[in-house]
């Protein structure tokens, strides 16, 4: 048997060029070489009238071979392969199933015709690696499908359906039935068509394009462009297709591609690409450990978190039993779930039948004993250790043998919760982030006695419900919230010293965060974790809570909010801050620089991340980066906090913290690991 991933098969006068390069037909050097060889040989064979390019396995070419990243290039380059396909004197038909992504979509565009199964998707995800399609995609896609769709594909990185592609002319025919049989028939039909429709020669979709198309797209997708260079470069290259001849556009695309490839943002994004995959590996657990069988999930609590958690499993086809204490809360919770599903259906992201299917798989009940039928039970009540221990004690008496007992705690000690049962090996933390049906991050908290197969089950389930899971050890706040604590603490201190909430928040937004510390507190709820005693006022946050300034939900928090949740500075908050200054004896405030805000709020996060690593509460520095990018919106083009610290230099972080140490007070202490990295000139991340 040949190791060549590219083979041929003749059907009368139509030649199929097959790629068989599992698992995703990545466009490796042998694939590129084989495609060029077979195109040349088919053109030289008088018995071949037309060509079909098809892939075996579960997908069409799904992009570049990631194992080639960072290595010297092996010829031919993909642009040359695509050009060779397009230059064929015999018609070439792409037979698309699964996904045609990145270079796979560019190969399809190099073909003269494209047919696809209805389930196929096409896209340019390169922007997610800080790049752009580098094999003519930004020049051919606008010519074939128009600049609007090309912008959507290249700038957002989100794939489109085969039907969307067909509506725009990117796919010539949707195939109902056998893809290869009908692709061959289609190739027979077009075998004698001349001239061949070459994408690079099309001008009708890129002539007289109103420049406002690009301005409007950027305005409507402003968040994509904030601080991130790849979306802007993708927009500029698509725009070039409407302004330049094809050859000049290709040259411009190549120039932009090389600029991005050699830039820091692409390196950061590519580091994160591998970091996300590495997070799935559980240290100290053998690959042979089998997961437990999960056929029904129980959820305790039908509030915002319980409902969102339930939706994840229902959407994945796993039945859920949800338990509440009273009928009103149960009805309200299930009503919100239905409303959320219907809103998704209204956007065309699921069908009405799928909504009903999900809701039919939900069993709402007031009977706690019903949880005895579940293989995984997730407690999702409020953050109170006594309440959680009481629930786990009850679960211990009714849960079936081998059932996994999980707590959705954000901060609390999983070992203490597990000790309330006689089966601590079955207990694990599953910290979902709010809103749980949308946020991708899941912290899987490994207790001291959590069994290996429980961890393996949790990580596999996370994948099934489309979450990115990271293993965390037991400590207050785990990884993400633990690093958040020093940031929020220093941010409040800065208010007493003279900064305003909007100044601190602006520094964080300018840094690339979706929102600053005080905007985040108002959105999440200032009252989260509050002790609920209006007489006990020990912080600015306590004072806000005592006045029921609980954030956006009350239209008042650190900011005031109008009916559209637009913030404005608050005189009440300013007065509270002044009261605390008076209590602290602070008679004079001072000008606080943006640099100090970074050193006081972001640098302590790095220090805390280093402590988490030295204590073994995170498996690796890159896991911390995954948590902060997926859970808190750290800008992916900066690679995550630990990767960013490596780029700044651990010594720079140490110097900045020493400069601010007196102001940060006795709460602050240095991580020995951070000091060691700075002294030795080492980095936290393997590819830092």
């Amino acid at each position: 048997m040949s190791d060549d991933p590219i083979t041929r098969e003749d059907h009368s006068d139509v030649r199929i060029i097959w790629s068989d390069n599992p698992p995703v037909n990545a466009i490796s050097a042998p694939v590129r070489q084989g495609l060029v060889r077979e195109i040349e040989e088919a053109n030289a064979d008088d018995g071949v009238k037309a060509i079909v390019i098809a892939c075996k396995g579960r997908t069409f070419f799904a992009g570049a071979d990631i194992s080639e990243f960072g290595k010297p290039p092996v010829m031919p380059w993909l642009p040359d392969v695509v050009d060779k396909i397009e230059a064929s004197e015999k018609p070439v038909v792409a037979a698309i199933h699964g996904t045609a992504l990145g270079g796979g979509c560019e190969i399809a565009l190099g073909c003269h015709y494209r047919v696809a199964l209805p389930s196929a998707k096409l896209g340019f995800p390169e922007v997610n690696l800080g790049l752009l399609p580098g094999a003519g995609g930004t020049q051919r896609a606008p010519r074939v499908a128009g600049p609007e769709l090309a912008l959507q594909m290249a700038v957002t990185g989100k794939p489109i359906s085969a039907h969307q592609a067909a509506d725009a002319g990117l796919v010539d025919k949707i195939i109902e039935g056998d893809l290869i049989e009908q692709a061959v028939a289609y190739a027979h039909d077009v075998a004698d068509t001349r001239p061949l429709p070459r994408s690079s020669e099309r001008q009708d979709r890129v002539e007289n394009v109103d420049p406002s198309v690009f301005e409007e797209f950027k305005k409507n997708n402003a968040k994509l462009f904030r601080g991130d260079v790849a979306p802007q470069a993708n927009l500029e290259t698509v725009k070039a297709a409407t302004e330049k001849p094809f050859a000049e556009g290709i040259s411009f695309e190549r120039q932009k591609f090389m600029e991005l490839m050699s830039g820091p943002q692409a390196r950061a994004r590519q580091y994160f690409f591998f970091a996300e995959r590495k997070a799935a590996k559980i240290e100290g657990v053998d690959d042979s450990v089998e997961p437990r069988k999960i056929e029904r999930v129980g959820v305790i609590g039908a509030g915002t978190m319980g409902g969102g958690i339930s939706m994840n499993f229902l959407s994945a086809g796993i039945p859920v039993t949800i338990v509440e204490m009273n009928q009103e809360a149960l009805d309200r919770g299930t009503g919100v779930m239905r409303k959320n599903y219907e809103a998704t259906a209204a956007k065309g992201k699921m069908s009405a039948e799928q909504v009903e299917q999900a809701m039919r798989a939900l069993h709402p009940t007031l009977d706690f004993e019903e949880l005895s039928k579940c293989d995984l039970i997730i407690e999702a009540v409020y953050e109170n250790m006594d309440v959680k221990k009481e629930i786990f004690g009850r679960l211990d008496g009714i849960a079936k043998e081998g059932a996994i007992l999980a707590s959705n705690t954000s901060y609390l000690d999983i070992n203490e919760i597990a000790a309330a049962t006689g089966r601590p090996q079955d207990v694990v933390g599953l910290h979902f982030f709010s809103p749980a049906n949308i946020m991708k991050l899941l912290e899987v908290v490994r207790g001291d006695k959590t069994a290996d197969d429980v961890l393996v089950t949790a990580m596999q389930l996370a994948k099934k419900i489309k979450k990115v899971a990271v293993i965390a050890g037991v400590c207050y706040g785990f990884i993400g919230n633990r690093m958040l604590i020093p940031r929020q603490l220093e941010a409040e201190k800065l208010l007493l010293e003279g900064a305003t909430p909007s100044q601190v928040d602006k520094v964080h937004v300018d840094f690339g965060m979706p929102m600053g510390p005080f905007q985040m507190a108002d959105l999440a709820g200032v009252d989260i974790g509050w002790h609920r005693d209006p007489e006990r006022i020990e912080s600015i946050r306590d004072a806000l809570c005592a006045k029921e300034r609980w954030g956006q939900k009350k239209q008042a928090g650190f900011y005031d909010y109008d009916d559209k949740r637009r913030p404005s500075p608050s005189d009440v908050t300013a007065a509270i801050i002044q009261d605390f200054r008076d209590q602290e004896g602070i008679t004079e405030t001072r000008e606080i620089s943006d640099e100090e805000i970074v050193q006081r709020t972001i640098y302590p996060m790095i220090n805390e991340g280093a402590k988490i690593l030295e204590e073994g509460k995170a498996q690796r520095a890159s896991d911390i980066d995954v948590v902060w990018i997926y859970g808190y919106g750290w800008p992916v083009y900066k690679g995550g906090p630990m990767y960013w610290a490596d780029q700044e230099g651990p010594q720079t972080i140490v110097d900045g913290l020493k400069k601010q140490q007196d102001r940060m007070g006795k709460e602050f202490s240095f991580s020995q690991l951070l000091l060691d990295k700075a002294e030795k000139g080492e980095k936290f991340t393997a590819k830092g």
Side-chain angles (χ1 to χ4, degrees):
M1 180 180 171
S2 170
D3 291 332
D4 194 334
I6 302 297
T7 56
R8 71 176 77 164
E9 178 184 339
D10 287 340
H11 287 247
S12 182
D13 55 2
V14 173
R15 175 162 295 172
I16 302 175
I17 299 176
W18 283 108
S19 175
D20 187 6
N21 189 29
V24 294
N25 283 298
I27 310 167
S28 61
V31 168
R32 298 193 299 274
Q33 291 161 357
L35 285 172
V36 169
R37 178 191 72 235
E38 292 299 330
I39 286 288
E40 287 177 345
E41 291 187 11
N43 272 272
D45 189 334
D46 292 340
V48 175
K49 300 298 182 191
I51 303 161
V52 171
I53 294 180
C55 294
K56 295 186 177 178
R58 56 190 170 94
T59 185
F60 194 70
F61 303 103
D65 185 346
I66 59 173
S67 69
E68 293 184 0
F69 282 17
K71 295 179 181 176
V74 179
M75 298 296 114
W77 283 4
L78 185 58
D80 297 332
V81 178
V82 176
D83 288 347
K84 176 68 74 172
I85 292 168
E86 190 182 60
S88 170
E89 295 174 3
K90 298 172 181 180
V92 184
V93 178
I96 302 168
H97 75 294
T99 52
L101 298 178
C105 192
E106 290 176 300
I107 285 175
L109 281 163
C111 296
H112 307 115
Y113 302 96
R114 290 155 291 281
V115 301
L117 291 177
S119 57
K121 293 185 180 298
L122 297 87
F124 293 129
E126 286 89 346
V127 70
N128 298 318
L129 290 175
L131 300 171
L132 52 77
T138 65
Q139 302 307 296
R140 288 186 174 93
R143 284 175 162 80
V144 173
E148 291 90 344
L149 190 70
L151 282 174
Q152 182 187 327
M153 293 169 69
V155 179
T156 71
K158 294 176 182 174
I160 61 169
S161 69
H163 283 290
Q164 284 176 284
D167 290 344
L170 186 55
V171 163
D172 296 288
K173 184 180 181 182
I174 299 289
I175 301 294
E176 301 285 352
D178 187 283
L179 175 64
I180 301 305
E181 182 183 312
Q182 295 201 43
V184 169
Y186 190 89
H188 274 297
D189 291 344
V190 299
D192 296 322
T193 302
R194 296 294 184 277
L196 291 174
R198 294 186 168 93
S199 302
S200 63
E201 296 173 358
R202 289 276 298 273
Q203 283 298 114
D204 53 302
R205 304 297 294 270
V206 292
E207 284 180 331
N208 304 315
V209 174
D210 189 337
S212 68
V213 165
F214 302 95
E215 294 157 21
E216 198 65 26
F217 182 89
K218 190 169 181 179
K219 181 181 168 185
N220 293 338
N221 297 274
K223 283 184 181 178
L224 292 176
F225 294 87
R226 201 181 67 218
D228 199 346
V229 298
Q232 179 65 33
N234 273 273
L235 181 141
E236 288 174 8
T237 49
V238 171
K239 189 180 182 189
T242 69
E243 298 172 337
K244 301 174 185 289
F246 182 77
E248 288 182 27
I250 286 289
S251 177
F252 184 71
E253 179 190 85
R254 173 55 38 182
Q255 173 197 330
K256 285 291 179 185
F257 182 88
M258 296 310 293
E259 284 175 12
L260 291 175
M261 178 62 95
S262 61
Q265 291 194 4
R267 286 196 297 275
R269 280 182 173 273
Q270 287 159 35
Y271 154 81
F272 184 71
F273 177 87
F274 291 104
E276 184 181 336
R277 280 143 189 81
K278 205 183 294 180
K281 174 73 176 169
I282 311 171
E283 297 292 340
V285 175
D286 195 88
D287 290 341
S288 64
V289 174
E290 290 292 323
R292 298 187 187 182
K293 202 169 186 180
I294 305 296
E295 294 180 336
R296 175 171 286 274
V297 172
V299 176
I300 303 170
T304 302
M305 287 305 297
I309 290 168
S310 298
M311 290 177 70
N312 289 308
F313 293 99
L314 295 171
S315 298
I318 301 171
V320 172
T321 296
I322 191 166
V323 179
E324 254 297 352
M325 293 178 66
N326 62 71
Q327 193 65 47
E328 183 186 354
L330 191 62
D331 291 344
R332 183 170 58 249
T334 55
V336 169
M337 290 168 65
R338 175 175 282 280
K339 187 178 173 184
N340 287 340
Y341 274 132
E342 288 173 347
T344 303
K347 294 174 186 171
K349 293 182 178 177
M350 64 190 299
S351 67
E353 173 52 32
Q354 286 173 316
V355 173
E356 296 309 317
Q357 193 176 348
M359 294 306 293
R360 280 196 301 270
L362 179 68
H363 174 51
T365 181
L366 301 178
D367 185 0
F368 201 82
E369 299 284 328
E370 288 284 301
L371 295 170
S372 64
K373 301 169 186 173
C374 299
D375 306 296
L376 164 66
I377 304 167
I378 304 171
E379 161 274 309
V381 304
Y382 59 94
E383 288 286 272
N384 180 289
M385 179 59 84
D386 291 337
V387 172
K388 289 181 187 286
K389 284 165 74 173
E390 191 268 331
I391 287 173
F392 274 75
R394 288 182 69 190
L395 284 176
D396 196 31
I398 68 158
K400 66 165 94 168
E401 185 180 347
I404 297 174
L405 311 181
S407 175
N408 177 51
T409 179
S410 307
Y411 290 93
L412 301 179
D413 188 334
I414 290 296
N415 292 326
E416 189 176 342
I417 293 170
T421 77
R423 44 173 120 179
Q425 73 279 2
D426 295 333
V427 178
V428 69
L430 293 180
H431 177 209
F432 289 83
F433 283 65
S434 184
N437 55 308
I438 294 171
M439 294 290 283
K440 287 190 74 172
L441 181 68
L442 176 65
E443 282 183 320
V444 176
V445 187
R446 181 184 206 165
D448 290 348
K449 296 182 179 178
T450 304
D452 287 353
D453 62 344
V454 169
L455 289 173
V456 169
T457 306
M459 296 300 277
Q460 289 201 4
L461 264 181
K463 193 172 182 182
K464 189 167 187 178
I465 62 173
K466 298 181 179 175
K467 299 295 182 194
V468 176
V470 172
I471 298 282
V474 176
C475 56
Y476 188 72
F478 315 127
I479 296 173
N481 284 339
R482 177 172 168 178
M483 290 172 67
L484 197 64
I485 292 167
R487 185 186 86 164
Q488 301 300 106
L489 183 69
E490 288 304 315
E492 269 199 40
K493 284 185 193 173
L494 284 162
L495 298 185
L496 298 180
E497 295 170 36
T500 63
S502 57
Q503 181 192 2
V504 175
D505 284 342
K506 183 178 185 300
V507 168
H508 282 256
V509 171
D510 289 348
F511 180 84
M513 300 294 289
M515 60 187 75
F518 302 112
Q519 292 166 316
M520 190 194 77
D522 277 0
L523 177 65
V526 182
D527 60 320
I528 288 180
W530 180 46
H531 46 65
R532 305 278 158 185
D533 180 358
E535 302 300 316
R536 182 178 146 201
I537 298 176
E538 299 168 348
S539 66
I540 294 169
R541 192 169 70 94
D542 284 349
L544 290 169
C545 288
K547 289 181 179 289
E548 295 197 2
R549 294 182 66 87
W550 297 350
Q552 289 189 19
K553 59 191 171 188
K554 291 277 191 176
Q555 290 190 282
F558 283 96
Y559 298 92
D560 292 332
Y561 293 88
D562 62 18
D563 291 338
K564 294 184 178 178
R565 295 198 171 193
R566 288 177 298 206
S568 59
S570 167
D571 292 339
V572 176
T573 301
I576 288 171
I577 293 168
Q578 188 56 53
D579 285 345
F580 271 86
R581 286 177 185 148
D582 295 341
Q583 289 173 36
E584 298 278 333
I586 299 171
T587 55
E588 288 186 20
T589 58
R590 60 189 177 84
E591 285 287 321
I592 293 174
S593 68
D594 291 355
E595 180 187 33
E596 180 178 341
I597 292 171
V598 169
Q599 291 173 340
R600 291 277 296 279
T601 59
I602 295 178
Y603 283 17
M605 289 170 52
I606 308 304
N607 186 65
E608 200 65 34
K611 287 183 179 181
I612 288 169
L613 285 172
E614 68 187 69
E615 293 169 22
K617 303 305 182 184
Q619 297 188 121
R620 49 191 81 88
S622 59
D623 284 3
I624 294 174
D625 292 335
V626 172
V627 166
W628 266 84
I629 283 173
Y630 275 121
Y632 301 86
W634 184 281
V636 65
Y637 57 82
K638 289 189 175 178
M642 306 315 288
Y643 178 89
W644 175 79
D646 284 343
Q647 309 317 302
E648 295 293 296
Q651 188 63 57
T652 301
I653 307 296
V654 168
D655 291 344
L657 288 170
K658 284 181 176 176
K659 184 178 175 183
Q660 304 298 339
Q661 193 169 3
D662 289 345
R663 291 195 174 107
M664 291 192 291
K666 63 181 184 298
E667 295 96 345
F668 176 80
S669 64
F670 269 102
S671 156
Q672 189 58 48
L673 180 63
L674 175 61
L675 293 172
D676 290 347
K677 293 286 185 189
E679 184 183 345
K680 296 173 184 175
E682 294 177 350
K683 297 181 183 292
F684 290 104
T685 57
K687 294 192 177 182

